[in-house]
Amino acid sequence: MNYKENRLDFERRERIGFVEAIWGEHKTPKQIIEILSKFEAAGQFALVTRVDLPKSEKILRRFKAAKYHQEACCISFGSHPKVDESRGKVIILSGGTSDLPVAAEAELALRVHGVQADTLFDVGVAGLHRVLNNLERIQKADIVIACAGMEGALPTVLGGLIPQPIIGVPVSVGYGVSSDGRVAMECMLASCAPGLMVVNIDNGYGAAMAALRIIRLKSKG
Amino acid sequence: MNYKENRLDFERRERIGFVEAIWGEHKTPKQIIEILSKFEAAGQFALVTRVDLPKSEKILRRFKAAKYHQEACCISFGSHPKVDESRGKVIILSGGTSDLPVAAEAELALRVHGVQADTLFDVGVAGLHRVLNNLERIQKADIVIACAGMEGALPTVLGGLIPQPIIGVPVSVGYGVSSDGRVAMECMLASCAPGLMVVNIDNGYGAAMAALRIIRLKSKG
Amino acid sequence: MNYKENRLDFERRERIGFVEAIWGEHKTPKQIIEILSKFEAAGQFALVTRVDLPKSEKILRRFKAAKYHQEACCISFGSHPKVDESRGKVIILSGGTSDLPVAAEAELALRVHGVQADTLFDVGVAGLHRVLNNLERIQKADIVIACAGMEGALPTVLGGLIPQPIIGVPVSVGYGVSSDGRVAMECMLASCAPGLMVVNIDNGYGAAMAALRIIRLKSKG
Amino acid sequence: MNYKENRLDFERRERIGFVEAIWGEHKTPKQIIEILSKFEAAGQFALVTRVDLPKSEKILRRFKAAKYHQEACCISFGSHPKVDESRGKVIILSGGTSDLPVAAEAELALRVHGVQADTLFDVGVAGLHRVLNNLERIQKADIVIACAGMEGALPTVLGGLIPQPIIGVPVSVGYGVSSDGRVAMECMLASCAPGLMVVNIDNGYGAAMAALRIIRLKSKG
Amino acid sequence: MNYKENRLDFERRERIGFVEAIWGEHKTPKQIIEILSKFEAAGQFALVTRVDLPKSEKILRRFKAAKYHQEACCISFGSHPKVDESRGKVIILSGGTSDLPVAAEAELALRVHGVQADTLFDVGVAGLHRVLNNLERIQKADIVIACAGMEGALPTVLGGLIPQPIIGVPVSVGYGVSSDGRVAMECMLASCAPGLMVVNIDNGYGAAMAALRIIRLKSKG
Amino acid sequence: MNYKENRLDFERRERIGFVEAIWGEHKTPKQIIEILSKFEAAGQFALVTRVDLPKSEKILRRFKAAKYHQEACCISFGSHPKVDESRGKVIILSGGTSDLPVAAEAELALRVHGVQADTLFDVGVAGLHRVLNNLERIQKADIVIACAGMEGALPTVLGGLIPQPIIGVPVSVGYGVSSDGRVAMECMLASCAPGLMVVNIDNGYGAAMAALRIIRLKSKG
Amino acid sequence: MNYKENRLDFERRERIGFVEAIWGEHKTPKQIIEILSKFEAAGQFALVTRVDLPKSEKILRRFKAAKYHQEACCISFGSHPKVDESRGKVIILSGGTSDLPVAAEAELALRVHGVQADTLFDVGVAGLHRVLNNLERIQKADIVIACAGMEGALPTVLGGLIPQPIIGVPVSVGYGVSSDGRVAMECMLASCAPGLMVVNIDNGYGAAMAALRIIRLKSKG
Amino acid sequence: MNYKENRLDFERRERIGFVEAIWGEHKTPKQIIEILSKFEAAGQFALVTRVDLPKSEKILRRFKAAKYHQEACCISFGSHPKVDESRGKVIILSGGTSDLPVAAEAELALRVHGVQADTLFDVGVAGLHRVLNNLERIQKADIVIACAGMEGALPTVLGGLIPQPIIGVPVSVGYGVSSDGRVAMECMLASCAPGLMVVNIDNGYGAAMAALRIIRLKSKG
């Protein structure tokens, strides 16, 4: 098997307007370095997701243009557009410390595309006043990304309160029935609040790309 | 096989203080009539759950002392204690018309034990103001039974707002992922709100018996 | 239990900008007629979903202002805004005759909110040329709703071809492993195409409400 | 992302009468220390659950007011009310050595709220005489928390023997079909004994909070 | 396709000492009549399981040697050995009226093989005294077949009380989590009582054949 | 919590004729040593299952009377009855090297009860001639314990060939759909061969205890 | 929604060499008639699968060129190539009467493509001699399609005996754990016999198309 | 237990024309060395699958005739037939770096049987042009093995484009709903493209053996 045959496809995701993202979880540092070398040669920006600290250190040693974002467990490589507030604004809600990496991945993925994204912490349904107290701030955003583990009820509560697009991101935080995030995911899909949209469990990057597809409508309008 | 051997056990549930309940769903009218005849002979009260209208008609034709409760799909047979308000009060919350039979079964099962129980309709998390507007009334009850289908988030929201015992009853109402009530059940079990208790899907009777076990503490206090 | 207590909440969904939708599946014709009477009295528009033909006939006999949409299995009641093309355009893709009711429910739910929506039939991944031949037409829409049963791969293929928001609606069409739509749903959530959003199985109405939340950004832009 | 924004919400759970519990499982020692520092500053009591021995050592090095409860895998921080026997009594039943951490978490969580709680070991249905021999002792309690892994039949057997509130806690102990505690949980929910209540798998803390909600009725009575 | 090619295999199960059983559930009356005609021609005994009343009537009209056993939903055809008490004795325990068809199928399947089998009704774990009161009678049997729906805990309780072989038959009676008998089955497999054996849900015939395999050891001893 | 209260129950399983088995998997070496000390004091035999090599070494250092059986991952402690061939004979079939620990656990558990048990290796359905070549030897046993992972078809094939009691033990060996042994277990339960009995996944000890319950019939005969 | 827009795509499946198959299960007679009219106009052959008898009668009344195949529950419409034995031969194995419709669908689907296909009945693993007695006949075929419900072990046994391509078709026949065909499907996928291939549950048509893809290699050889 | 009894069965798989494959995953290096010694003594070729690097090193130290294939995680032992292009050609498609080991296992397993096999990388449905650009090359192969994780849609897309036999291999790559490869597997089984065949998750070896069964038809033709 000739692994060298493997060519990189810089036009691929760019055709639909996304920077190239490399899913780092199952790749060795060596494999990621090989891939980033091609981006280096082509002068392209790249985002590597799901990279833990030890793996990141091996990769950063090789590339000056690489930067590790510890909360998001991502490496950004090369230069990317500046955040342009006129394009619209995404707010990311996070239930607790445990949802942090997923929220941070979403925030970073939007920012490297030049879209303004902010995260609001400790917003969960068991402490409803935190949701209600922040409602005005939430309503100022164009799009809401709501990360939630356990029973995943946050997007449902929001869905009855605000008219914006809401993207639910189930998070694999919990134990017993909720340990793998599936309950949170199905809770969001089964919601009695109309018009919620859901992405895969822990898929902060996917939620960001969904928001990016949506925010472009604002400029078109 | 000699089916006649089958004897009734009037002391059984009474020993723990419950009237005898007969689960009518898989029984033929003939089987239910045979069982009720023994109650008649013994001068005992009985509650038959999960009886549909046609089945109830065949049974009521035979017994004068039987009464059909259409909303609860139950037959009560014989005389039972009057509701005694001093024993405490249970409030039953129901998300919508579709949860009605489950809520009604719980309400009836409490009343035939002499416990005051009232049902509050159309209280769901997607319309949060209905929950908040009724909060004072809910807080006046000793115990809350919260019926919810779809994503089943109602007990979670309540759990952060009130200190009473909350018994969640998942309801098999919905479609797609939520069609069999399992999502609602797991959502309640996975809840981030502390101290929720859950019974089987559609188990209005079970929630009532759980409330009955609890309400006795009040008299003991 | 006093069922009369049940009051209607006309402001509820309207606050977030949706017409009131009544889920007709588990309700009796009598229950639906009672609810619509309140809309009649209030001079409000209503949409009743999941109503089969025999049930619709009983309801239409009572109300002159009600109209049955057989393909969508919905009743619309009262007057609603006209479709305004300047607000944007949603295209709904349907894999085959069996997806029809879901696609039609989505189309109707958008039109009664005044949003232009058109359905394109027989677009499935096993006949890729149908997708590619219609690509230009699909790209002219602001939002794509892709209905798919069986393996549910249509949104994934689209996700690599177009930059618009894509809302996947899994459909409970198939047999064996795919009979309940769950495979299609998980396939959409697991997609390697970035930024897809998913709603509950057969939830054409939910997809429409998600699109409505998004399309408003265009006017805000 | 500005993690500093994260504020602590001391009133949150206290409003419903619970001390603040911090779920330690997915948090780093550094994150837990940061959170406890705020409690220290505010002079508040805290309970940190699911902390293993090595993690506890890093945290205890920093705080004098912290104490590690090895069997319960919890840290208590600060001072809490003394156990007041007049408030009522909870008995916790545990099937075997493997259920110990769950039972111990429940016992500790009740004691830091001032409620008397005792654990009775090696009580399982396969050794029925142990259950029957202890029946008198069990009946003296106001509330029973029954922890059980494997097939989880203990609460069912108790449910036919005693009239008290019974809270079943499924435990993730076993192998093959029962390895994750789901069989025990579903067995408790499906029980033919009326009025059992169930919490999430391994949720000793949740069972304690449920008991706390209930025991307050005694004082109100 | 030439369906006539289908030949009957009278030696098949007889080689292992079982009378031929025909699973009637998915077969038309016509198909069953065709099969029984071959047994008639060969002068063989047959047992047809899972035949409802209307289907049985069509079949009995054609064969004089056929007899319908309504409780067991079975047809016996031809002559079979008499029950021989010296071969040993099987006791079948049944939790309630709803388990009846499964228990009756097991009893009949043993009797047509000449093995003594009796059924004991209303023996369930929520009414433990019924189990304990009948313990002496149960212990006199060589083998126990325990049918149980809901949480299926009966075999577990027995397993700690008696040394005989215990065959658990999960029954698809219940609702919510237990509706299809799977919880009962997994509860039996996960049991903490050592040495229980389990057959498929509702498989009264299979439990009987398992008992038949075992009872032969007695004669061999 | 006073862990010292925990007393050992030597009569428990002995009442039903089993030596006491301690499930070692979730216990620390210290906990196992504490338990064995009580057996030592009482002069009782014990079997500790699911003990890995490092754990066993810590335990054996303390007890002279303990012996580690590496293939079976068990510790036997004290003296037990000699194998008595006149009591009957059990044959254990194992599909391959990976099923070894389960088969060895069953063999040891029978031998410490004085029952003859032998294991036959590499008997699987994909190599049918190995089954057929050994058929005579298999038929000489009184009971067959058939261990099988992957698709678990071995008991089914045997069920059509021999009249003895067959106890299927599903083994958690495989990958993809069969990785946790559930497919093998359900395959055995769903078998078209009549009269198979099944125990929990990897439950070699349970299969042995089931065989022990059965083999006693031979002596009674 | 303009349903008329829906055009038929005669080139679609023909490009890959298949006649057009219409899945009749969820379509009304009217919808099938509309579709067949287009085939009639185009002079094309069509195969309609999953049509029950009453539905078929409504369709046959309209078309002279339609023929109903009752065992296969299919309608063939128009003329198709004659069976050409030189192209190779497929043998279809069926475990029992209940697998008949699936086997018959596969046989018909091959014959309308001109491929010889024969079905062999009552070949199941619990009666191994039937498999072994027919081995020579099975080995003469180029491809084996093995239909099996219950535990689905037939393809595994064959896989160790013959070198031909084996396509397993799980059948939704059984009860309890095997009622929906999923156990049979997973058993085939998990098989220890190397090189089995599996299609969806009850997918006789799919197995035939897989065989058709393979048989073409013979002509190419 | 006498482990020495275990004999090797060189004729077994060879009778159906496969080299002997040893599944290395759950075996110790010592166990594999013992098995390979028998192959060495018999002068036979063997393929050991699922061997990681450290395990391989221990084994290679002992055998000169052993070779480790790191990408495929396999050891080949002894000499095997040369690749013979006239026998036909298999093309293996792989979606990304993470599918590599599965694709490499399939390629190696075919080559040691003398069949030409080549792997084409980075072919996935989200980058449809890569599929379309390589279509001509794919169509030149006799058989296509399509490896895919995530949503597993690649075989479906190919199924509508090419007439060759397509063997889908689901890969356990992904996260959330797709983490264990089950979604990819069910997506392939549920596919709307006719005639796809599926093997177990990650079963590269099985796909190769299926292709080997098929490719022989070419020589027979």
Side-chain angles (χ1 to χ4, degrees), chain A residues 71 95-98 100 103-105 107 111 119-122 124 126-130 133-134 137 150 172-178 183, chain D residues 1-9 11-13 15-16 23 25-28 31 35 50 105 180 182 185 200-206:
Chain A
E71 274 167 0
T97 317
S98 312
L100 207 99
E105 183 185 290
E107 187 181 313
R111 287 177 177 272
T119 304
L120 191 59
F121 292 97
D122 258 348
L128 202 60
H129 64 294
R130 282 282 293 161
N133 290 349
N134 282 292
R137 184 169 165 199
M150 311 292 277
S172 62
V173 156
Y175 56 92
V177 293
S178 64
V183 169
Chain D
M1 196 183 302
N2 181 10
Y3 179 63
K4 302 285 169 259
E5 182 190 0
N6 189 353
R7 322 169 283 136
L8 242 129
D9 221 349
E11 319 98 69
R12 193 163 36 174
R13 288 194 182 167
R15 213 167 349 119
I16 53 167
W23 187 40
E25 193 163 20
H26 291 292
K27 297 196 176 66
T28 62
Q31 285 175 323
I35 294 170
R50 314 235 169 170
E105 183 185 289
D180 56 4
R182 194 168 269 275
M185 181 187 89
N200 196 0
I201 297 159
D202 294 336
N203 195 2
Y205 172 76

Side-chain angles (χ1 to χ4, degrees), chain B residues 1-3 5-9 11-12 15 23 25-27 31 35 50 182 185 200-203, chain E residues 71 97-98 100 103-104 107 119-122 126-127 129-130 134 137 150 172-178:
Chain B
M1 192 182 306
N2 181 8
Y3 179 62
E5 184 190 359
N6 188 349
R7 330 168 273 135
L8 240 132
D9 223 349
E11 317 97 72
R12 191 159 42 172
R15 212 168 351 118
W23 185 42
E25 193 164 18
H26 292 292
K27 294 193 179 68
Q31 286 176 323
I35 294 170
R50 312 232 171 173
R182 194 167 269 276
M185 181 188 88
N200 196 1
I201 297 158
D202 294 337
N203 195 2
Chain E
E71 275 167 1
T97 316
S98 312
L100 207 98
E107 187 182 314
T119 303
L120 192 58
F121 292 97
D122 256 348
H129 63 294
R130 283 280 296 159
N134 283 291
R137 185 170 166 197
M150 311 292 277
S172 62
V173 156
Y175 55 91
V177 292
S178 65

Side-chain angles (χ1 to χ4, degrees), chain E residues 157-220:
Chain E
V157 168
L158 288 171
L161 295 171
I162 63 168
Q164 280 88 343
I166 301 171
I167 302 166
V169 191
V171 180
S172 62
V173 156
Y175 55 91
V177 292
S178 65
S179 58
D180 56 5
R182 192 166 270 273
V183 170
M185 181 187 89
E186 298 193 345
C187 176
M188 294 178 187
L189 288 162
S191 175
C192 57
L196 303 184
M197 298 169 293
V198 186
V199 298
N200 196 1
I201 297 158
D202 294 336
N203 194 1
Y205 172 75
M209 292 309 95
L212 187 60
R213 288 176 183 268
I214 293 171
I215 207 95
R216 288 170 184 152
L217 252 77
K218 200 170 172 180
S219 325
K220 277 172 74 179

Side-chain angles (χ1 to χ4, degrees), chain F residues 122, chain H residues 5-12 20 22 34-36 38-39:
Chain F
D122 257 349
Chain H
E5 184 190 359
N6 189 350
R7 327 168 278 137
L8 241 131
D9 222 351
F10 294 117
E11 318 98 68
R12 191 159 44 172
E20 187 75 14
I22 297 137
E34 273 179 38
I35 294 170
L36 287 184
K38 294 175 190 163
F39 279 84

Side-chain angles (χ1 to χ4, degrees), chain E residues 1 5-7 31 200 203, chain G residues 97 104 122 130 137 175:
Chain E
M1 194 183 301
E5 183 190 1
N6 188 351
R7 325 169 280 135
Q31 286 176 323
N200 196 1
N203 194 1
Chain G
T97 317
D122 257 348
R130 281 280 296 160
R137 184 168 164 198
Y175 56 92

